[in-house]
Amino acid sequence: MEKLKKFFINGTWVNPRSDETMAVISPSDLRQIGTVSLGNEQDVNDAVQSAKKAFTSFSKTKKKERIDLLKDLKRITERRFEDLAQAMREEMGAPISMARSAQADAALGHLESFIGALAELKERTVLDSGDVLLKEPVGICGLITPWNWPVNQIALKVIPALATGCTCILKPSEYTPLSAMVYTEIIEEAGYPAGVFNLVNGVGDTVGRAMSKHLEIDMMSFTGSTRAGIMVTKDSSETIKRVTLELGGKSPNIVFSDANLERDIKYSINECMFNTGQSCDAPTRLLVEHSCYEEVLKIAKKSAEEILIGDPTKEGDHIGPLFDKIQFDRVQNMIDLGIKEGASVLTGGLGKPHGLEKGWFVKPTIFYNVSNTMRIAREEIFGPVLVIMPFKNEQEAISIANDSPYGLAAYVQTSDIKKAERVSSQLRVGAVHINGGGYNYGTPFGGYKQSGNGREGGLMGLEDYLETKSLHGL
């Protein structure tokens, strides 16, 4: 835990220049589990100078050298797997079974897919014209990751930077520094040269802004709220650096009457509430064909009330608390707003579940009698809250689904695969999950509209970290 008070710069754990700190609190029982240092602009500059020096040689490494390093990273990640899972169980309240099967699993799943993508990547291509295209590392990368999927997002940014020969500075969420510390130890043990990877903890307005504005950072990759993504983009525009963003979502889930309702509605409810609703691509708008609307309400209510809520230290498929009082208060305020807007509560509602009054636990909540103009239907709540709305026909469903500033993901439930493809082709989103189809490692992830730009994962995830150079006259 002492390392939480240090930063990792130029291959060693160093004392910050800043003396500001923040308590790290367990969301399940409100214990203080550590103290993290919060950096400043000087800390960022130290990390950038370290990354700049390392880039000179690391950018020239051969693909085989980088693949070998990634394989070492994989071997050590496998050994430290439980440490990653326990860190996320403690810092964000992810139930330990889910922390292993989804949160920590992402560290290995993404790593394996990036190793495969790097092996396939063509770093030199001869065009029909005879000109040559080279793929070269973009440079020094500033990486900002969120608290809701801490290691997943670290892996999706750090690994492609290392794979392509870039150097980087990671600013993880200050609320989830434990998993970032463990991941940094893994990188350190894997033997990456000093300065290739650097860790600076801190808040977005200080460390994040210093990174975005820094003249010598060539690229910013940010995952978080749309509001913060706008700030990163504005700050980065002063130096015309590349910016990739994975931002908010309000994903529609279209259920047609020909779906397997018992199966698909139970899946839909569980998917919405997974990770206590703290996923940017959660299916939080359930759009239901009018002819099966009443039946869906009954299944949805029963399914939500079967969801278990409990202690993150215990094995099982229950959900845990929200990550912090900030998010707890926001979710409670949005539930209250939904009631005031005139929506009806099908199940759940305000307050904490019985017997779980100490941590930031909330009731899985479903609203019906909702219109798409209500704030609860348009704004990202980021908690276990679902709104249900009816539609008359296919075109109305598509219209409601697309009537959103977001476009990260969508879900479609129907037994008619041609209909599923037809509807999917008209949805303005980066991914469509059909009849429970899940995300697979190596598939590009990202959104349309205010859900961001760029793609993370697999070959496309590597390309964001590469520049293209053309050679003429060879």
Side-chain angles (χ1 to χ4, degrees):
M1 288 294 185
E2 280 304 306
K3 285 182 180 174
L4 287 181
K5 296 180 181 178
K6 294 180 180 290
F7 299 155
F8 188 74
I9 297 175
N10 200 33
T12 189
W13 293 91
V14 301
N15 292 319
R17 291 180 180 268
S18 168
D19 58 4
E20 190 176 353
T21 62
M22 186 185 87
V24 183
I25 305 297
S26 165
S28 59
D29 58 16
L30 309 188
R31 290 178 299 113
Q32 181 171 343
I33 55 178
T35 301
V36 63
S37 291
L38 303 176
N40 60 23
E41 188 174 347
Q42 288 179 300
D43 292 304
V44 170
N45 196 55
D46 289 345
V48 171
Q49 296 313 308
S50 170
K52 181 181 178 182
K53 182 180 178 182
F55 183 73
T56 302
S57 56
F58 191 66
S59 62
K60 295 180 174 61
T61 53
K62 301 295 183 185
K63 181 194 290 190
K64 183 182 183 305
E65 295 176 67
R66 285 177 270 124
I67 288 177
D68 287 344
L69 279 169
L70 291 176
K71 289 179 178 178
D72 287 338
L73 189 67
K74 180 179 178 233
R75 174 177 53 80
I76 298 160
T77 301
E78 288 170 340
R79 179 161 53 76
R80 298 293 304 272
F81 183 89
E82 184 66 14
D83 295 334
L84 288 171
Q86 292 292 348
M88 288 179 282
R89 186 268 306 165
E90 194 161 30
E91 68 190 358
M92 63 165 294
I96 189 57
S97 296
M98 178 266 195
R100 292 188 186 110
S101 65
Q103 295 276 7
D105 186 72
L108 287 172
H110 289 308
L111 179 50
E112 289 169 353
S113 74
F114 278 126
I115 291 171
L118 181 57
E120 293 176 16
L121 177 69
K122 292 183 179 179
E123 297 179 317
R124 186 181 190 276
T125 304
V126 180
L127 302 179
D128 291 342
S129 65
D131 290 341
V132 175
L133 290 187
L134 303 180
K135 293 291 185 180
E136 299 180 341
V138 70
I140 301 169
C141 304
L143 314 175
I144 301 178
T145 57
W147 50 263
N148 62 318
W149 285 92
V151 168
N152 181 77
Q153 292 308 127
I154 288 173
L156 279 170
K157 298 183 192 303
V158 171
I159 296 171
L162 300 178
T164 54
C166 295
T167 59
C168 60
I169 300 98
L170 171 67
K171 190 208 88 65
S173 170
E174 62 274 25
Y175 293 99
T176 52
L178 298 181
S179 54
M181 179 189 72
V182 174
Y183 202 83
T184 300
E185 291 176 342
I186 293 170
I187 291 173
E188 180 183 21
E189 188 177 345
Y192 279 89
V196 168
F197 170 86
N198 303 272
L199 169 75
V200 177
N201 285 308
V203 299
D205 285 345
T206 304
V207 172
R209 171 156 278 187
M211 290 167 64
S212 300
K213 286 177 169 287
H214 204 289
L215 183 63
E216 295 182 288
I217 288 182
D218 301 289
M219 171 185 172
M220 288 297 300
S221 179
F222 171 83
T223 298
S225 70
T226 297
R227 177 194 61 78
I230 291 169
M231 294 303 298
V232 169
T233 304
K234 287 181 177 179
D235 288 340
S236 297
S237 68
E238 296 177 10
T239 52
I240 322 295
K241 58 173 58 73
R242 181 178 299 178
V243 177
T244 62
L245 305 168
E246 196 267 281
L247 306 175
K250 192 73 176 177
S251 299
N253 184 359
I254 302 173
V255 177
F256 290 99
S257 58
D258 63 356
N260 182 329
L261 294 180
E262 284 287 344
R263 180 197 69 194
D264 294 342
I265 297 306
K266 186 176 180 63
Y267 154 79
S268 297
I269 301 304
N270 289 335
E271 189 70 12
C272 176
M273 307 302 175
F274 188 66
N275 202 31
T276 319
Q278 300 170 123
S279 297
C280 49
D281 61 343
T284 52
R285 290 188 295 152
L286 190 64
L287 313 184
V288 180
E289 193 163 11
H290 195 272
S291 59
C292 63
Y293 183 73
E294 294 299 327
E295 184 179 358
V296 165
L297 291 182
K298 293 176 185 176
I299 300 170
K301 183 179 190 322
K302 181 174 182 291
S303 298
E305 290 174 353
E306 288 174 349
I307 292 173
L308 301 175
I309 312 160
D311 185 349
T313 64
K314 294 182 178 178
E315 305 277 354
D317 60 359
H318 53 285
I319 64 173
L322 294 171
F323 92 102
D324 186 76
K325 184 180 188 298
I326 297 168
Q327 193 60 22
F328 177 84
D329 289 344
R330 173 170 171 74
V331 171
Q332 294 297 302
N333 288 339
M334 291 300 289
I335 293 172
D336 184 53
L337 174 65
I339 295 169
K340 289 175 179 175
E341 286 184 306
S344 301
V345 177
L346 183 66
T347 187
L350 292 166
K352 296 182 179 181
H354 178 71
L356 293 169
E357 288 80 13
K358 191 171 186 181
W360 304 121
F361 294 92
V362 293
K363 301 172 186 175
T365 298
I366 300 177
F367 284 103
Y368 68 110
N369 289 334
V370 176
S371 76
N372 207 41
T373 60
M374 293 180 178
R375 283 181 60 189
I376 56 169
R378 302 196 68 78
E379 297 181 18
E380 188 174 39
I381 298 173
F382 231 56
V385 181
L386 175 70
V387 299
I388 303 181
M389 294 176 280
F391 65 85
K392 296 185 183 68
N393 53 48
E394 190 175 307
Q395 283 308 310
E396 186 180 29
I398 293 165
S399 177
I400 295 171
N402 285 336
D403 182 16
S404 170
Y406 299 111
L408 189 56
Y411 300 71
V412 176
Q413 322 296 333
T414 176
S415 60
D416 184 341
I417 295 303
K418 288 185 178 179
K419 181 198 293 183
E421 286 204 49
R422 184 172 65 244
V423 170
S424 297
S425 70
Q426 298 175 74
L427 296 174
R428 298 283 295 163
V429 297
V432 182
H433 302 268
I434 299 169
N435 295 332
Y439 171 82
N440 293 302
Y441 296 124
T443 300
F445 183 86
Y448 290 23
K449 300 188 281 187
Q450 291 185 33
S451 288
N453 56 58
R455 291 294 182 270
E456 294 187 311
L459 188 58
M460 288 189 73
L462 293 180
E463 289 172 350
D464 275 345
Y465 292 78
L466 294 166
E467 287 281 19
T468 299
K469 177 184 288 180
S470 59
L471 304 182
H472 310 270
L474 289 179

Coordinates of all heavy atoms in Angstrom, one line a residue, residues 7-67:
F7 N 4.8 7.4 -7.4 CA 4.5 7.3 -8.8 C 5.6 6.4 -9.4 O 6.7 6.3 -8.9 CB 4.4 8.6 -9.5 CG 3.4 9.6 -8.9 CD1 3.5 10.9 -9.0 CD2 2.2 9.1 -8.3 CE1 2.5 11.8 -8.5 CE2 1.2 9.9 -7.8 CZ 1.4 11.3 -7.9
F8 N 5.3 5.8 -10.6 CA 6.2 5.0 -11.3 C 6.7 5.8 -12.5 O 6.0 6.0 -13.5 CB 5.6 3.7 -11.8 CG 6.6 2.7 -12.3 CD1 7.5 2.0 -11.5 CD2 6.6 2.5 -13.7 CE1 8.4 1.1 -12.0 CE2 7.6 1.5 -14.2 CZ 8.4 0.9 -13.3
I9 N 8.0 6.3 -12.4 CA 8.5 7.2 -13.5 C 9.9 6.7 -13.7 O 10.7 6.5 -12.8 CB 8.5 8.7 -13.0 CG1 7.0 9.1 -12.9 CG2 9.2 9.5 -14.1 CD1 6.9 10.6 -12.3
N10 N 10.2 6.6 -15.0 CA 11.6 6.2 -15.5 C 12.1 4.9 -14.9 O 13.2 4.7 -14.5 CB 12.6 7.3 -15.2 CG 13.9 7.2 -16.0 OD1 13.8 6.7 -17.2 ND2 15.0 7.6 -15.5
G11 N 11.1 3.9 -14.7 CA 11.4 2.6 -14.3 C 11.6 2.4 -12.8 O 12.1 1.4 -12.3
T12 N 11.2 3.4 -12.0 CA 11.3 3.3 -10.5 C 10.2 4.0 -9.8 O 9.5 4.9 -10.4 CB 12.7 3.8 -10.1 OG1 12.9 3.5 -8.7 CG2 12.7 5.4 -10.3
W13 N 9.9 3.5 -8.6 CA 8.9 4.2 -7.8 C 9.5 5.4 -7.1 O 10.4 5.3 -6.4 CB 8.3 3.2 -6.8 CG 7.6 2.0 -7.4 CD1 8.1 0.8 -7.8 CD2 6.2 2.0 -7.7 NE1 7.1 0.0 -8.4 CE2 6.0 0.7 -8.3 CE3 5.1 2.9 -7.6 CZ2 4.7 0.3 -8.8 CZ3 3.9 2.5 -8.0 CH2 3.7 1.2 -8.6
V14 N 8.9 6.5 -7.4 CA 9.4 7.8 -6.9 C 8.4 8.6 -6.0 O 7.2 8.4 -6.2 CB 9.9 8.7 -8.1 CG1 10.9 8.0 -8.9 CG2 8.7 9.1 -8.9
N15 N 8.9 9.4 -5.2 CA 8.1 10.3 -4.4 C 7.5 11.4 -5.3 O 8.3 12.0 -6.1 CB 8.8 10.9 -3.2 CG 9.2 9.9 -2.2 OD1 8.4 9.0 -1.9 ND2 10.4 10.0 -1.7
P16 N 6.2 11.7 -5.2 CA 5.7 12.8 -6.0 C 6.2 14.1 -5.6 O 6.7 14.4 -4.5 CB 4.2 12.7 -5.7 CG 4.0 11.4 -5.0 CD 5.2 11.1 -4.3
R17 N 6.2 15.1 -6.6 CA 6.5 16.5 -6.3 C 5.4 17.1 -5.5 O 5.6 18.0 -4.6 CB 6.8 17.2 -7.5 CG 8.1 16.8 -8.3 CD 8.2 17.6 -9.5 NE 9.4 17.2 -10.2 CZ 10.6 17.8 -10.1 NH1 10.7 18.8 -9.2 NH2 11.7 17.5 -10.8
S18 N 4.1 16.7 -5.8 CA 3.0 17.1 -5.1 C 2.9 16.5 -3.7 O 3.2 15.3 -3.5 CB 1.7 16.8 -5.9 OG 0.5 17.1 -5.1
D19 N 2.4 17.2 -2.7 CA 2.1 16.6 -1.4 C 0.6 16.4 -1.1 O 0.3 16.0 0.0 CB 2.8 17.5 -0.3 CG 2.2 18.9 -0.3 OD1 1.3 19.2 -1.0 OD2 2.7 19.7 0.6
E20 N -0.2 16.5 -2.1 CA -1.6 16.3 -2.0 C -2.0 14.8 -2.0 O -1.4 14.1 -2.8 CB -2.4 17.0 -3.1 CG -3.9 17.1 -2.8 CD -4.6 17.9 -3.9 OE1 -4.0 18.6 -4.7 OE2 -5.9 17.9 -3.9
T21 N -2.9 14.4 -1.1 CA -3.3 13.0 -1.1 C -4.8 12.9 -1.0 O -5.5 13.9 -0.8 CB -2.7 12.3 0.1 OG1 -3.1 12.9 1.3 CG2 -1.1 12.3 0.1
M22 N -5.3 11.7 -1.1 CA -6.7 11.4 -1.0 C -6.9 10.0 -0.4 O -6.2 9.1 -0.7 CB -7.4 11.4 -2.4 CG -8.9 11.3 -2.4 SD -9.6 11.2 -4.1 CE -9.5 9.4 -4.4
A23 N -7.9 9.9 0.5 CA -8.2 8.6 1.1 C -8.9 7.7 0.0 O -9.7 8.2 -0.7 CB -9.1 8.8 2.3
V24 N -8.5 6.4 0.0 CA -9.2 5.4 -0.8 C -10.2 4.6 0.1 O -9.7 4.0 1.1 CB -8.2 4.5 -1.5 CG1 -8.9 3.5 -2.4 CG2 -7.1 5.3 -2.2
I25 N -11.4 4.7 -0.2 CA -12.5 4.1 0.6 C -13.1 2.9 0.0 O -13.5 2.9 -1.2 CB -13.6 5.2 0.9 CG1 -12.9 6.5 1.5 CG2 -14.6 4.6 1.9 CD1 -12.2 6.3 2.8
S26 N -13.3 1.8 0.8 CA -14.0 0.7 0.3 C -15.5 1.0 0.2 O -16.1 1.4 1.2 CB -13.9 -0.5 1.3 OG -14.8 -1.5 1.0
P27 N -16.1 0.8 -1.0 CA -17.6 1.2 -1.1 C -18.5 0.2 -0.4 O -19.7 0.6 -0.2 CB -17.8 1.2 -2.6 CG -16.7 0.2 -3.1 CD -15.6 0.4 -2.2
S28 N -18.0 -0.9 0.0 CA -18.9 -1.9 0.6 C -19.1 -1.7 2.1 O -20.2 -2.0 2.6 CB -18.5 -3.3 0.3 OG -17.2 -3.5 0.8
D29 N -18.1 -1.2 2.8 CA -18.2 -1.0 4.2 C -17.6 0.3 4.7 O -17.5 0.6 5.9 CB -17.5 -2.2 5.0 CG -16.0 -2.4 4.6 OD1 -15.4 -1.4 4.0 OD2 -15.5 -3.4 4.9
L30 N -17.2 1.1 3.7 CA -16.7 2.5 4.0 C -15.4 2.6 4.8 O -15.1 3.6 5.4 CB -17.8 3.3 4.7 CG -19.2 3.3 4.0 CD1 -20.1 4.3 4.6 CD2 -19.1 3.5 2.5
R31 N -14.6 1.5 4.8 CA -13.3 1.5 5.5 C -12.3 2.3 4.6 O -12.4 2.2 3.4 CB -12.8 0.1 5.7 CG -13.4 -0.8 6.7 CD -12.8 -2.2 6.7 NE -12.9 -2.8 5.4 CZ -11.9 -3.1 4.6 NH1 -10.6 -2.7 4.9 NH2 -12.1 -3.7 3.4
Q32 N -11.4 2.9 5.2 CA -10.3 3.5 4.4 C -9.3 2.4 4.2 O -8.8 1.7 5.1 CB -9.6 4.6 5.2 CG -8.5 5.2 4.3 CD -7.9 6.5 4.9 OE1 -8.5 7.2 5.8 NE2 -6.7 6.9 4.5
I33 N -9.0 2.1 2.9 CA -8.1 1.0 2.5 C -6.8 1.5 2.0 O -5.9 0.7 1.7 CB -8.8 0.1 1.5 CG1 -9.3 0.9 0.3 CG2 -10.0 -0.6 2.1 CD1 -9.9 0.0 -0.8
G34 N -6.6 2.8 2.0 CA -5.3 3.3 1.5 C -5.4 4.8 1.4 O -6.4 5.4 1.6
T35 N -4.2 5.3 1.0 CA -4.1 6.8 0.7 C -3.3 6.9 -0.6 O -2.2 6.3 -0.7 CB -3.3 7.5 1.9 OG1 -4.1 7.3 3.1 CG2 -3.2 9.0 1.6
V36 N -3.8 7.6 -1.5 CA -3.2 7.8 -2.8 C -2.7 9.2 -3.0 O -3.4 10.2 -2.6 CB -4.1 7.4 -4.0 CG1 -5.4 8.3 -4.0 CG2 -3.4 7.4 -5.3
S37 N -1.5 9.4 -3.5 CA -1.0 10.7 -3.8 C -1.6 11.2 -5.1 O -1.9 10.5 -6.0 CB 0.6 10.6 -4.0 OG 1.2 10.3 -2.8
L38 N -1.8 12.5 -5.1 CA -2.4 13.2 -6.3 C -1.4 14.1 -6.9 O -0.9 15.1 -6.2 CB -3.6 14.0 -5.8 CG -4.8 13.2 -5.1 CD1 -5.9 14.1 -4.7 CD2 -5.3 12.1 -6.1
G39 N -1.0 13.8 -8.1 CA 0.1 14.6 -8.7 C -0.3 15.9 -9.2 O -1.4 16.4 -9.1
N40 N 0.8 16.6 -9.7 CA 0.6 17.9 -10.3 C 1.3 18.0 -11.7 O 1.8 17.1 -12.2 CB 1.1 19.0 -9.3 CG 2.5 18.9 -9.0 OD1 3.3 18.3 -9.7 ND2 2.9 19.4 -7.8
E41 N 1.3 19.2 -12.2 CA 1.9 19.4 -13.5 C 3.4 19.1 -13.6 O 3.9 18.5 -14.6 CB 1.7 20.9 -13.9 CG 2.1 21.2 -15.4 CD 1.8 22.6 -15.8 OE1 1.0 23.3 -15.0 OE2 2.3 23.1 -16.8
Q42 N 4.1 19.3 -12.5 CA 5.5 18.9 -12.4 C 5.7 17.4 -12.5 O 6.6 16.9 -13.2 CB 6.2 19.4 -11.2 CG 6.4 20.9 -11.2 CD 7.0 21.4 -9.8 OE1 6.5 21.2 -8.8 NE2 8.2 21.9 -9.9
D43 N 4.8 16.7 -11.8 CA 4.9 15.2 -11.9 C 4.6 14.7 -13.3 O 5.3 13.8 -13.8 CB 3.8 14.6 -11.0 CG 4.2 14.8 -9.5 OD1 5.3 14.5 -9.1 OD2 3.3 15.4 -8.8
V44 N 3.7 15.3 -14.0 CA 3.4 15.0 -15.4 C 4.6 15.3 -16.3 O 5.0 14.4 -17.1 CB 2.1 15.7 -15.9 CG1 2.0 15.5 -17.4 CG2 0.9 15.3 -15.2
N45 N 5.2 16.4 -16.1 CA 6.4 16.7 -16.9 C 7.5 15.8 -16.7 O 8.2 15.4 -17.6 CB 6.8 18.2 -16.6 CG 7.7 18.7 -17.7 OD1 7.4 18.7 -18.9 ND2 8.9 19.1 -17.3
D46 N 7.7 15.3 -15.4 CA 8.8 14.3 -15.2 C 8.5 13.1 -15.9 O 9.4 12.5 -16.5 CB 8.8 14.0 -13.7 CG 9.4 15.2 -12.8 OD1 10.0 16.1 -13.4 OD2 9.2 15.1 -11.6
A47 N 7.2 12.6 -15.9 CA 6.9 11.4 -16.6 C 7.0 11.6 -18.1 O 7.5 10.6 -18.8 CB 5.4 11.0 -16.3
V48 N 6.7 12.7 -18.7 CA 6.8 13.0 -20.1 C 8.2 13.0 -20.5 O 8.6 12.4 -21.6 CB 6.1 14.3 -20.5 CG1 6.4 14.7 -21.9 CG2 4.6 14.2 -20.3
Q49 N 9.1 13.6 -19.7 CA 10.5 13.6 -20.1 C 11.1 12.2 -20.1 O 11.9 11.8 -20.9 CB 11.3 14.5 -19.2 CG 10.9 16.0 -19.3 CD 10.8 16.5 -20.7 OE1 11.8 16.3 -21.5 NE2 9.7 17.1 -21.0
S50 N 10.6 11.4 -19.1 CA 11.1 10.0 -19.1 C 10.6 9.2 -20.3 O 11.4 8.5 -20.9 CB 10.5 9.3 -17.8 OG 10.7 7.9 -17.8
A51 N 9.3 9.4 -20.7 CA 8.8 8.7 -21.8 C 9.4 9.2 -23.1 O 9.7 8.4 -24.1 CB 7.3 9.0 -21.9
K52 N 9.8 10.5 -23.2 CA 10.4 11.0 -24.4 C 11.8 10.4 -24.6 O 12.2 10.0 -25.7 CB 10.6 12.6 -24.2 CG 11.2 13.3 -25.4 CD 11.3 14.7 -25.1 CE 12.0 15.5 -26.3 NZ 12.2 16.9 -26.0
K53 N 12.6 10.3 -23.5 CA 13.9 9.7 -23.6 C 13.8 8.2 -24.0 O 14.6 7.8 -24.9 CB 14.6 9.8 -22.2 CG 16.0 9.3 -22.2 CD 16.6 9.4 -20.8 CE 18.0 8.8 -20.8 NZ 18.6 9.0 -19.4
A54 N 12.8 7.5 -23.5 CA 12.7 6.1 -23.8 C 12.2 5.9 -25.2 O 12.5 4.8 -25.8 CB 11.7 5.4 -22.8
F55 N 11.4 6.8 -25.7 CA 10.9 6.6 -27.1 C 12.0 6.5 -28.1 O 11.8 5.8 -29.1 CB 9.9 7.8 -27.4 CG 9.2 7.7 -28.7 CD1 8.2 6.7 -28.9 CD2 9.6 8.4 -29.8 CE1 7.6 6.6 -30.2 CE2 9.0 8.3 -31.1 CZ 8.0 7.4 -31.2
T56 N 13.0 7.2 -27.9 CA 14.1 7.2 -28.9 C 14.5 5.8 -29.3 O 14.7 5.4 -30.5 CB 15.3 8.0 -28.4 OG1 14.9 9.3 -28.1 CG2 16.4 8.0 -29.4
S57 N 14.7 4.9 -28.3 CA 15.1 3.6 -28.6 C 14.0 2.6 -28.7 O 14.0 1.7 -29.6 CB 16.1 3.1 -27.5 OG 15.5 3.2 -26.2
F58 N 12.9 2.7 -27.8 CA 11.9 1.8 -27.9 C 11.1 1.8 -29.2 O 10.6 0.8 -29.6 CB 10.9 2.0 -26.7 CG 9.9 0.9 -26.4 CD1 10.4 -0.4 -26.0 CD2 8.6 1.1 -26.6 CE1 9.5 -1.4 -25.9 CE2 7.7 0.0 -26.4 CZ 8.1 -1.2 -26.0
S59 N 11.0 3.0 -29.8 CA 10.2 3.1 -31.0 C 10.9 2.3 -32.2 O 10.3 2.1 -33.2 CB 10.1 4.6 -31.4 OG 11.4 5.1 -31.6
K60 N 12.2 2.0 -32.0 CA 12.9 1.3 -33.0 C 13.0 -0.2 -32.8 O 13.7 -0.9 -33.5 CB 14.3 1.9 -33.1 CG 14.4 3.3 -33.6 CD 15.8 3.9 -33.7 CE 15.8 5.3 -34.3 NZ 15.1 6.3 -33.5
T61 N 12.4 -0.7 -31.7 CA 12.4 -2.1 -31.5 C 11.7 -2.9 -32.6 O 10.8 -2.4 -33.2 CB 11.8 -2.5 -30.1 OG1 10.5 -1.9 -30.1 CG2 12.6 -1.9 -29.0
K62 N 12.2 -4.1 -32.8 CA 11.5 -5.0 -33.8 C 10.2 -5.6 -33.2 O 10.1 -5.8 -32.0 CB 12.5 -6.2 -34.1 CG 13.8 -5.7 -34.7 CD 13.6 -5.0 -36.1 CE 14.9 -4.6 -36.7 NZ 14.7 -3.8 -37.9
K63 N 9.4 -6.0 -34.1 CA 8.1 -6.5 -33.7 C 8.3 -7.8 -32.8 O 7.6 -7.9 -31.8 CB 7.2 -6.9 -34.9 CG 5.9 -7.5 -34.6 CD 5.2 -8.2 -35.7 CE 4.8 -7.3 -36.8 NZ 3.9 -8.0 -37.8
K64 N 9.2 -8.6 -33.2 CA 9.5 -9.8 -32.4 C 9.9 -9.5 -30.9 O 9.4 -10.1 -30.0 CB 10.6 -10.7 -33.0 CG 10.8 -12.0 -32.2 CD 11.9 -12.8 -32.8 CE 12.1 -14.2 -32.1 NZ 12.3 -14.0 -30.6
E65 N 10.7 -8.4 -30.7 CA 11.0 -8.0 -29.4 C 9.8 -7.6 -28.6 O 9.7 -7.9 -27.4 CB 12.0 -6.8 -29.4 CG 13.4 -7.1 -30.1 CD 14.2 -5.9 -30.2 OE1 14.6 -5.3 -29.1 OE2 14.5 -5.4 -31.3
R66 N 8.9 -6.9 -29.2 CA 7.7 -6.4 -28.6 C 6.7 -7.5 -28.3 O 6.1 -7.6 -27.2 CB 7.0 -5.3 -29.4 CG 7.8 -4.0 -29.3 CD 7.2 -2.9 -30.1 NE 7.8 -2.9 -31.5 CZ 7.2 -3.0 -32.6 NH1 5.8 -3.1 -32.6 NH2 7.8 -3.0 -33.7
I67 N 6.7 -8.5 -29.2 CA 5.8 -9.7 -28.9 C 6.4 -10.5 -27.8 O 5.6 -10.9 -26.9 CB 5.7 -10.5 -30.2 CG1 4.8 -9.8 -31.2 CG2 5.1 -11.9 -29.9 CD1 4.7 -10.6 -32.5

